[in-house]
Amino acid sequence: MTATEAPIPDVSTSAAGNPLGFGRMLRKEDARFVRGQGHYVDDVNLHGMLHSAILRSSYAHARIVSIDTSAAEAHPKVKAVITGKTLETLNLAWMPTLSGDVVSVLATDKVRFQGQEVAYVVAEDEYAARDALELIEVEYEPLPAVVDARHALDPDAPIIRDDLEGRTDNKIYDWEAGDQAACDEVFANAEVVVAEDMIYPRVHPAPMETCGSVAHMDKVTGKLTIWTTTQAPHAHRTIYALVAGLPEQKIQVISPDIGGGFGNKVGIYPGYVLSIVGSIVTGAPVKWVEDRSENLMSTSFARDYHMHGEIAATREGKILALRVDVLADHGAFNGVAQPTKFPAGFFHIFTGSYDYPAAHCKVTAVYTNKALGGVAYACSFRITEAVYLVERMVTCLADELKMDPAELRMKNLLRPEQFPYTSPTGWEYDSGDYPRALKEAMRIAGYDELRREQAERRAAAAGPDADPAAPLMGIGLSFFTEGVGAGPRKHMDILGLGMADGCELRIHPTGKAQLRLSVQTQGQGHETTFAQIVSHVIGLPPEDIEVIHGDTDNTPFGLGTYGSRSTPVSGAAAAVAAQRIKDKARIIAAAALECSVDDLEWEHGRWFVKGDPSQGKTIAEIAMAAHSSLELPEGVEGHLDASVVYNPPNLTYPFGAYICVVDVDPQTGVVKVRRFIAVDDCGPRINPMIVEGQVHGGLADGVGMALMEVIAFDSDGNNLGGSFMDYLLPTSMECPSWELGETVTPSPHHPIGVKGVGESATVGSPPAVVNAVLDAIQVRQADMPFTPAMTWRALQGRNLRPDLAIE
Amino acid sequence: MHVNVTVNGAETGADIEARLLLVHYLRNELGLTGTHWGCDTSNCGACTVWLDGVPVKSCTTLAGMADGHEVRTVEGLEGTDLDPVQQGFVEEHGLQCGFCTPGMMMTARALLDRDPDPDEATIREAISGNLCRCTGYENIIRAVRWAATHEAAARAADQEGAGV
């Protein structure tokens, strides 16, 4: 190059140094967050705003005899006291759940779980509102509580849902999937059968920000504006319209910055509805924000599956069949948030990552005197429970066969040439190279060396100079297949709303863009990655693409962010919208350059004449031309906009191989996670930095669930996990430094080949940790969480149930 | 009661209920909503601020206890430029939802002020009273190390510039 030549610009990077498309890019949203300028619901402060608080049941099951609110009403700062009776007059005492049941907004007849909403106070400030709760007198007639799901169907069990006409028991549903007869036949003739009972205990998503809302009903315009912690603002708007009879065009749901969701903020809680009622009653904006105990006791719990699994195999370790019987504890109301046709969520993907023809699952769901929920905490509609089951059962089988669990998995993993693969329960896995991922995880871990070290330690422990305090080393594996991006409209809806998502892309005349999304970030970085998706397709710098989301008045309809669906569904919508812009830009460029569209070639954000790269138009130039007086071909409208509703043809199926190494103190039962290796395949990574962050967070969840998180109940139905002193989240001390790897297998049906990843690690990691702990203590089966007490009891051969109080 | 509190170098004062928590004084009386409230029990650390240079949980500190004292919040971190801790959180993706971030950064700033070159174990221990549900802590630790490294480099450059 001579000195006079201009340097060739690096076309893969924008002027601001960002990738034009995929690649590591610092997040746009961080500028406000690191300055403390995030805008969360509790930061909303409107003129004349009132505050509110909810009185909750202290009993798990009791009849309400009377409620005296007179003293609370007399409090000088109290503006309104609302009970179930008030709501009955408005026909709002009950509201539909997302699973075809009803749930009370404020209890009228009975309370059915500890922490249930009983009365609501609106006052001048938060302190006064809580003072007034103390002044409300509720007389209860306590009833026996159904705490243990295994006794919910006993003939003498109290009927929890006597509000439902004709109810004579606590069963919600029986449901099954797979071919039972074919499966039973395989079991009858199998050489090896292993059976185990296991509990995936009740846990809570516990985002750092609790749930809350600020409702403002403008009496003059009749418009309701509600700022609320929701992962699905559009779905909430429609449900408010249906529940409260409000005209949907007059409802604006704003989901500002959200302090973590993890499924906790999918459903509609009584508090949200009450803040609306409070605003209607007082004529002022009303804020409601739950405290941590309210969050842990009354909002969306997760899991609570009691599973009996059986696995059949040959003596050589070829898996033949898997069957499972599940008792699902749904709490006092069936309020799980999942596609309508899937009462047990996607649990029937439980056959996992292995090649065998026969499988069957049976799920019985019951009511108990506990809070409602079940699908939350990054569970991908219960794939978490499914992966836990199969990965525990395969590990138990390896134990039975005295085979290395990695070898057993490698022997049975689906092979690349089997994709697309239809599972025995009907799921069509889109793409995968499973052995490659497992090999990569074993390589990073130094698996053989780890097993050698373990053998040496075990030999030393069995020797004459054994140190009784020497830690017990365990190695645990997990291989998961996720199914995310719900989903195809004809199969998947929530409350009748098909799970397609909209997206609008506008290129302004100066070549700057706005992208409007139906999904809503709770920390996933949509403002950055969605700009990168558009940049990837049309070459505009990501800093020139503003992502707008979280406000129903300014974004197209869609079902929101949960189940790792943002990238598979809305990400596809954004890519298709950008592709339409690119196609239209070609027509406009041809008009401007006075050539045929066929003469144009695309490169680096511009259309140019084949063979003459100097003759071309960038997207920005085309955008100006699109808004100008340039004559366009017949049928081509001016401007450069696109609007898309993306109906995914299938789920995407990310997968991964995880290896966990633990050391257990045999004298105290304390588990130390020494290493955790995670190889994830989510297709091409739009922003590797963000993907890794998503994986890190999920791995911490796995350590939390496996070692410390549980919401148990005593025999009266008292919640024993109602604060962060009782419900333990993993800190920096329990988490190791994560070791990540990746393989890349694109999705064949996604427009840019990507798969969802937000929940992969939460789904995949718990069994790896549990398998490691049980490998360390050489116990085939015990239930998580492996707190020191639970681990120590398992070491003694006296397993504890995690879901009940220790008697 | 009346309190006078110096917040981020500015004099503030208000007539308050004696039971008012410091977090609510900052958020509601002063509008400094960067300090978050997360748990009520001192466990999560989203509300961490400095009281006379020491990180405290403002959800379990009465505003009255800050009367006549100095408080520093996340809004007081940025000078001419972002504080290296703030920049480190951006550079290393040390935050996702951002809710724990202000408290986490106040803890990290205090750590680096007393130990400018902390190793991983030291950082883990220092932030163990601040919960994060998004990051698995990995990138928070890298963010603090980023700040430590860049501050060390800046100090070295200063010394060189001063001819030391």
Side-chain angles (χ1 to χ4, degrees):
Chain A
M1 167 173 122
T2 64
T4 54
E5 276 179 346
I8 299 165
D10 179 0
V11 290
S12 63
T13 311
S14 74
N18 292 318
L20 289 171
F22 295 179
R24 186 181 200 272
M25 171 177 162
L26 300 185
R27 299 200 322 168
K28 296 175 162 202
E29 37 275 86
D30 290 355
R32 62 179 187 273
F33 288 135
V34 296
R35 290 173 169 88
Q37 290 174 13
H39 191 59
Y40 302 87
V41 168
D42 198 18
D43 301 338
V44 173
N45 189 9
L46 304 178
H47 181 69
M49 187 175 77
L50 300 173
H51 297 260
S52 63
I54 294 172
L55 181 70
R56 294 175 182 277
S57 166
S58 48
Y59 289 100
H61 200 192
R63 199 162 297 287
I64 296 175
V65 179
S66 64
I67 303 178
D68 181 355
T69 60
S70 54
E73 283 163 19
H75 189 290
K77 288 186 171 178
V78 166
K79 299 294 181 186
V81 182
I82 291 160
T83 65
K85 285 219 179 327
T86 328
L87 295 183
E88 273 179 335
T89 64
L90 303 165
N91 200 24
L92 270 177
W94 294 80
M95 63 178 179
T97 70
L98 296 177
S99 292
D101 197 354
V102 291
V103 60
S104 66
V105 177
L106 289 174
T108 51
D109 54 340
K110 289 201 306 190
V111 289
R112 292 176 170 83
F113 66 89
Q114 189 191 45
Q116 191 181 338
E117 298 81 359
V118 174
Y120 180 66
V121 170
V122 183
E124 287 174 18
D125 65 63
E126 191 184 336
Y127 287 56
R130 290 191 177 257
D131 286 345
L133 296 185
E134 301 287 319
L135 301 173
I136 298 172
E137 293 289 338
V138 184
E139 190 185 336
Y140 293 105
E141 178 194 325
L143 299 168
V146 180
V147 177
D148 186 349
R150 295 176 193 180
H151 293 295
L153 299 179
D154 287 355
D156 58 346
I159 309 301
I160 296 168
R161 295 302 301 280
D162 47 355
D163 58 297
L164 301 172
E165 220 175 290
R167 267 275 153 198
T168 56
D169 63 20
N170 293 316
K171 186 181 282 188
I172 303 174
Y173 65 76
D174 283 314
W175 182 83
E176 62 183 313
D179 184 339
Q180 183 170 14
C183 192
D184 288 352
E185 199 183 320
V186 174
F187 270 91
N189 299 309
E191 291 172 352
V192 180
V193 173
V194 177
E196 290 295 345
D197 288 302
M198 62 189 75
I199 301 176
Y200 207 134
R202 174 175 284 235
V203 289
H204 198 281
M208 297 317 299
E209 177 205 37
T210 61
C211 300
S213 54
V214 177
H216 182 209
M217 172 61 90
D218 187 315
K219 277 193 169 169
V220 177
T221 62
K223 179 164 181 171
L224 168 70
T225 308
I226 180 163
W227 290 260
T228 182
T229 49
T230 173
Q231 299 176 224
H234 289 277
H236 278 211
R237 185 189 68 199
T238 302
I239 293 168
Y240 289 134
L242 295 171
V243 170
L246 298 167
E248 197 172 358
Q249 84 279 14
K250 297 262 191 192
I251 303 172
Q252 180 180 14
V253 177
I254 299 173
S255 178
D257 288 325
I258 300 295
F262 317 113
N264 195 188
K265 293 164 181 171
V266 174
I268 290 193
Y269 297 119
Y272 302 160
V273 177
L274 289 167
S275 67
I276 296 171
V277 174
S279 182
I280 292 172
V281 169
T282 62
V286 173
K287 178 186 279 187
W288 167 76
V289 177
E290 65 185 4
D291 67 25
R292 181 55 63 186
S293 291
E294 293 179 286
N295 176 253
L296 289 169
M297 291 172 71
S298 70
T299 61
S300 186
F301 76 86
R303 325 288 193 259
D304 220 339
Y305 259 32
H306 299 242
M307 302 184 275
H308 174 77
E310 295 181 46
I311 191 165
T314 66
R315 276 193 201 91
E316 288 71 42
K318 179 80 193 83
I319 300 171
L320 302 172
L322 182 62
R323 63 186 175 194
V324 53
D325 211 330
V326 179
L327 178 65
D329 184 340
H330 280 223
F333 306 90
N334 188 23
V336 292
Q338 64 203 357
T340 308
K341 291 177 190 164
F342 300 80
F346 298 167
F347 180 77
H348 56 302
I349 201 169
F350 69 95
T351 58
S353 313
Y354 308 103
D355 180 20
Y356 53 92
H360 180 252
C361 75
K362 213 162 55 179
V363 182
T364 298
V366 296
Y367 290 120
T368 59
N369 287 114
K370 302 175 189 173
L372 61 165
V375 168
Y377 200 167
C379 74
S380 295
F381 300 119
R382 297 213 191 264
I383 296 178
T384 325
E385 290 92 322
V387 166
Y388 187 73
L389 174 91
V390 63
E391 289 307 301
R392 285 290 303 121
M393 290 310 298
V394 168
T395 303
C396 291
L397 176 65
D399 188 50
E400 176 72 20
L401 297 170
K402 303 198 180 343
M403 191 181 273
D404 185 285
E407 186 192 342
L408 179 64
R409 282 178 171 81
M410 200 59 93
K411 208 180 191 98
N412 288 282
L413 282 175
L414 291 164
R415 297 178 311 280
E417 64 272 18
Q418 288 177 280
F419 292 87
Y421 165 79
T422 303
S423 84
T425 50
W427 299 90
E428 192 187 304
Y429 299 4
D430 58 351
S431 62
D433 186 342
Y434 293 1
R436 180 169 61 147
L438 181 53
K439 277 180 205 153
E440 176 64 0
M442 292 171 72
R443 184 193 67 76
I444 296 171
Y447 186 77
D448 294 341
E449 182 51 41
L450 286 170
R451 285 292 179 200
R452 258 196 301 280
E453 180 193 342
Q454 184 184 46
E456 283 166 16
R457 284 171 178 272
R458 284 183 179 169
D465 303 324
D467 174 4
L472 308 173
M473 177 186 176
I475 304 160
L477 283 87
S478 161
F479 197 104
F480 68 90
T481 298
E482 263 264 66
V484 301
R489 288 177 54 153
K490 66 178 174 180
H491 299 307
M492 295 178 189
D493 70 273
I494 289 181
L495 275 186
L497 303 168
M499 298 185 80
D501 274 63
C503 168
E504 291 168 12
L505 178 58
R506 299 180 193 168
I507 316 294
H508 295 325
T510 57
K512 313 292 182 186
Q514 285 186 326
L515 180 71
R516 294 164 194 276
L517 301 178
S518 57
V519 291
Q520 157 66 21
T521 179
Q522 307 106 42
Q524 296 92 336
H526 290 174
E527 290 164 42
T528 306
T529 47
F530 278 77
Q532 290 184 266
I533 291 172
V534 172
S535 175
H536 172 75
V537 179
I538 60 173
L540 283 182
E543 63 267 23
D544 289 350
I545 302 159
E546 190 74 7
V547 174
I548 296 163
H549 58 125
D551 178 346
T552 56
D553 272 11
N554 290 301
T555 54
F557 188 86
L559 272 256
T561 296
Y562 43 85
S564 301
R565 65 189 300 281
S566 286
T567 301
V569 186
S570 261
V576 172
Q579 185 59 47
R580 286 191 191 163
I581 294 277
K582 185 175 156 186
D583 294 343
K584 183 173 174 182
R586 185 179 196 173
I587 298 168
I588 296 166
L593 295 165
E594 296 178 349
C595 67
S596 153
V597 290
D598 296 332
D599 294 336
L600 293 177
E601 205 169 318
W602 173 261
E603 193 179 18
H604 306 316
R606 66 195 285 270
W607 286 108
F608 66 92
V609 178
K610 283 177 195 166
D612 185 4
S614 68
Q615 291 295 305
K617 295 279 181 199
T618 64
I619 282 287
E621 290 165 341
I622 295 167
M624 186 58 88
H627 290 82
S628 73
S629 57
L630 174 75
E631 198 166 330
L632 298 174
E634 202 174 317
V636 178
E637 293 176 345
H639 303 179
L640 200 53
D641 304 338
S643 177
V644 168
V645 177
Y646 188 77
N647 178 25
N650 188 7
L651 303 179
T652 64
Y653 293 79
F655 57 92
Y658 291 175
I659 298 175
C660 179
V661 185
V662 302
D663 293 302
V664 178
D665 184 329
Q667 295 180 319
T668 63
V670 171
V671 177
K672 175 83 187 160
V673 179
R674 188 202 301 182
R675 292 178 66 194
F676 200 110
I677 295 91
V679 173
D680 273 90
D681 190 326
C682 56
R685 298 184 172 197
I686 298 164
N687 185 328
M689 176 189 85
I690 286 179
V691 171
E692 285 173 14
Q694 295 286 300
V695 173
H696 289 160
L699 297 177
D701 291 344
V703 167
M705 282 180 275
L707 301 186
M708 54 212 298
E709 294 181 40
V710 65
I711 292 193
F713 292 81
D714 72 9
S715 56
D716 293 324
N718 291 308
N719 185 320
L720 304 178
S723 82
F724 277 168
M725 292 187 292
D726 309 291
Y727 188 76
L728 304 181
L729 302 185
T731 75
S732 49
M733 301 299 281
E734 286 80 43
C735 294
S737 184
W738 315 110
E739 300 170 60
L740 305 192
E742 67 175 300
T743 60
V744 179
T745 312
S747 167
H749 64 77
H750 190 284
I752 50 174
V754 298
K755 302 180 177 184
V757 74
E759 300 171 323
S760 283
T762 314
V763 167
S765 60
V769 183
V770 169
N771 286 338
V773 174
L774 293 173
D775 183 50
I777 64 177
Q778 298 184 69
V779 170
R780 184 179 286 177
Q781 162 57 16
D783 288 316
M784 60 180 170
F786 286 99
T787 60
M790 292 285 287
T791 311
W792 195 81
R793 285 285 296 254
L795 261 168
Q796 310 306 312
R798 296 184 294 135
N799 292 346
L800 285 170
R801 268 181 72 173
D803 56 330
L804 303 174
I806 298 172
E807 299 290 346
Chain B
M1 67 181 289
H2 187 84
V3 291
N4 292 301
V5 188
T6 307
V7 179
N8 300 327
E11 298 299 322
T12 73
D15 291 317
I16 59 165
E17 285 188 62
R19 62 178 174 170
L20 186 74
L21 296 169
L22 180 57
V23 64
H24 291 139
Y25 178 76
L26 295 169
R27 290 178 52 80
N28 303 339
E29 298 288 332
L30 307 183
L32 294 173
T33 54
T35 300
H36 299 142
W37 164 92
C39 76
D40 283 325
T41 49
S42 290
N43 292 84
C44 83
C47 65
T48 305
V49 300
W50 289 12
L51 185 61
D52 293 336
V54 178
V56 297
K57 308 281 172 77
S58 64
C59 78
T60 38
T61 304
L62 293 167
M65 294 160 72
D67 184 27
H69 294 270
E70 289 193 14
V71 169
R72 190 183 187 195
T73 70
V74 64
E75 287 90 349
L77 274 183
E78 187 176 9
T80 318
D81 299 312
L82 285 179
D83 186 276
V85 168
Q86 291 173 304
Q87 193 62 41
F89 272 70
V90 175
E91 298 286 340
E92 295 293 346
H93 189 31
L95 69 151
Q96 290 178 32
C97 81
F99 200 79
C100 78
T101 312
M104 199 66 87
M105 292 192 304
M106 295 314 289
T107 300
R109 184 65 266 165
L111 166 68
L112 292 178
D113 284 353
R114 67 171 191 272
D115 180 355
D117 188 24
D119 61 14
E120 181 189 328
T122 306
I123 298 170
R124 284 188 183 275
E125 193 169 341
I127 63 167
S128 63
N130 292 76
L131 296 174
C132 172
R133 207 63 168 142
C134 298
T135 65
Y137 303 102
E138 181 83 25
N139 288 347
I140 292 176
I141 290 153
R142 290 181 193 168
V144 179
R145 279 303 313 163
W146 189 98
T149 306
H150 282 74
E151 283 178 353
R155 274 193 305 275
D158 281 353
Q159 285 178 356
E160 203 170 287
V164 177

